[in-house]
Amino acid sequence: MMPGDSTMTSIVQRIARQALVTFRNPSVLGEENGKSFIENHGKLKSLMTEVRATDLKLVPRRADASAPRPAPYHHGVPPVTYMHICETDQFSMGVFLLKSGASIPLHDHPGMYGVLKVLYGKVRISCFDRLERHVGGTQAAPQLPSAQMGALRRSVLRSSAEYTEESGPCILSPDRDNLHQIDAVDGPTAFMDILAPPYDPDDGRDCHYYKVLTEAEPKPADIKDKEVWLMEIPQPPHFWCGGEPYPGPEVHL
């Protein structure tokens, strides 16, 4: 098989190779490099649009009929698990699996790009962005004890939408839709996830969690670009992520 021949190459392998090309150096300035990044990012989105659970040898999971709903997870049973596919200095790729009623709390991706594609089930993704404090806003800061004021983050709710396997990928970038919350809707769900570059606390890319302090559930017609206040919080105690083996085709980079 020739290196460029995609007829025998799994789509997972093709996605990984395209991610490597796309995120090799996305922050390089200059019109030519910017154009190249946009083109490669478009190719990556197209490949992610095509991927299905069967390509990763994933069998959609059913809700446990005997489990209480919404599920208060038993001690030691994580509400979310992660299947590691591959990771380089440029990007990480894997699959998140959410049980019925589970959520990945509102969190950020400092200086990172992301591509998320649902493989089965349905998720609701609410996307936010931080706003500069000095920019004039419509909402006054919530009244909090002085010790908590430093944790306030003026933000905007960009969108809240549901995604299924038939939807295109959800995209985030360093300056757009960079914070999000992901909720399982109507049963278990799984999505493929690419982050570039990967989280790395030593390089300023730690994961921070937030809660919404002001009303963030307007009517659908009003939901776009609603200003809200967030407060940075520790990782919520009800959320933790376990690991499980990835059953799909190997990736070689």
Side-chain angles (χ1 to χ4, degrees), residues 108-130:
D108 63 1
H109 309 80
M112 298 158 67
Y113 293 85
V115 187
L116 181 163
K117 175 63 173 65
V118 174
L119 299 171
Y120 66 79
K122 183 190 295 185
V123 299
R124 180 181 298 107
I125 305 177
S126 301
C127 298
F128 297 76
D129 280 317
R130 296 268 303 274

Side-chain angles (χ1 to χ4, degrees), residues 48-200:
M48 287 287 277
T49 300
E50 296 175 23
V51 73
R52 294 294 184 268
T54 52
D55 297 315
L56 286 78
K57 300 183 180 177
L58 282 184
V59 178
R61 297 175 182 180
R62 297 182 179 276
D64 182 354
S66 65
R69 298 172 71 179
Y73 301 102
H74 301 295
H75 179 69
V77 179
V80 178
T81 53
Y82 181 74
M83 294 176 172
H84 170 84
I85 298 177
C86 66
E87 181 169 329
T88 70
D89 289 342
Q90 286 75 37
F91 76 97
S92 62
M93 186 165 82
V95 178
F96 284 95
L97 302 97
L98 282 66
K99 292 180 170 58
S100 294
S103 295
I104 299 179
L106 181 59
H107 62 283
D108 63 1
H109 309 80
M112 298 158 67
Y113 293 85
V115 187
L116 181 163
K117 175 63 173 65
V118 174
L119 299 171
Y120 66 79
K122 183 190 295 185
V123 299
R124 180 181 298 107
I125 305 177
S126 301
C127 298
F128 297 76
D129 280 317
R130 296 268 303 274
L131 295 175
E132 297 297 329
R133 281 182 175 270
H134 64 268
V135 177
T138 59
Q139 287 196 357
Q143 296 302 307
L144 296 173
S146 57
Q148 295 181 351
M149 292 301 288
L152 276 181
R153 305 289 184 264
R154 190 164 161 267
S155 305
V156 60
L157 173 62
R158 296 289 189 196
S159 64
S160 183
E162 292 183 348
Y163 293 77
T164 70
E165 64 180 312
E166 300 303 323
S167 307
C170 179
I171 306 297
L172 67 89
S173 72
D175 54 7
R176 186 75 184 187
D177 298 336
N178 191 261
L179 291 75
H180 61 206
Q181 176 170 320
I182 303 170
D183 304 307
V185 178
D186 299 334
T189 184
F191 60 86
M192 189 170 175
D193 190 59
I194 294 175
L195 291 177
Y199 282 114
D200 183 355

